[in-house]
Amino acid sequence: GAVEREVAALSELFGATAGEEWTRSDNWFGDDLPCPGGLWFGIHCHPDHPTRISAIRLNENGLAGKLPSSLFTQLPYLEDLCASLLALCCLLLGLLLFFLFSRFSLSP
């Protein structure tokens, strides 16, 4: 079912980003599901759909590698994804855009 697909996507995330080396992975793959309750470190449950994942916040947690596409295809309620990799990419993109736009004047 849907919950199993979400757990599988989190398993792919763990494997693809060196989960064994993360700073924290409290309760990942324990006896409890990630939702409801949000007992897995960095996993937050949707307020209106408590068995579904709405946020993954693993920034500054030692992730390395690529984010699996399953995060975007198997987590339909995901609204917030914060991981060190993503933050770094966003920072670099922001700096690039700033550099590009600061080099060109839009005035006549």
Side-chain angles (χ1 to χ4, degrees):
V3 172
E4 290 81 10
R5 286 191 297 274
E6 290 190 351
V7 171
L10 293 179
S11 179
E12 285 185 46
L13 171 66
F14 192 85
T17 59
E20 296 292 331
E21 304 298 322
W22 291 357
T23 305
R24 293 189 59 191
S25 59
D26 311 7
N27 298 315
W28 277 64
F29 309 114
D31 294 333
D32 296 317
L33 292 171
C35 291
L39 298 176
W40 292 24
F41 177 78
I43 303 301
H44 301 269
C45 306
H46 196 282
D48 298 327
H49 305 277
T51 61
R52 307 306 290 272
I53 297 165
S54 66
I56 300 173
R57 297 187 187 127
L58 295 169
N59 51 314
E60 299 183 23
N61 200 39
L63 279 71
K66 295 182 179 180
L67 297 176
S69 61
S70 59
L71 292 182
F72 309 103
T73 60
Q74 299 302 319
L75 301 174
Y77 292 94
L78 186 65
E79 300 170 348
D80 181 6
L81 174 61
C82 189
S84 299
L85 301 170
L86 185 61
L88 178 61
C89 291
C90 291
L91 174 64
L92 292 176
L93 179 60
L95 289 173
L96 177 64
L97 291 173
F98 174 77
F99 175 75
L100 289 174
F101 285 111
S102 67
R103 304 285 283 172
F104 301 100
S105 173
L106 298 177
S107 60

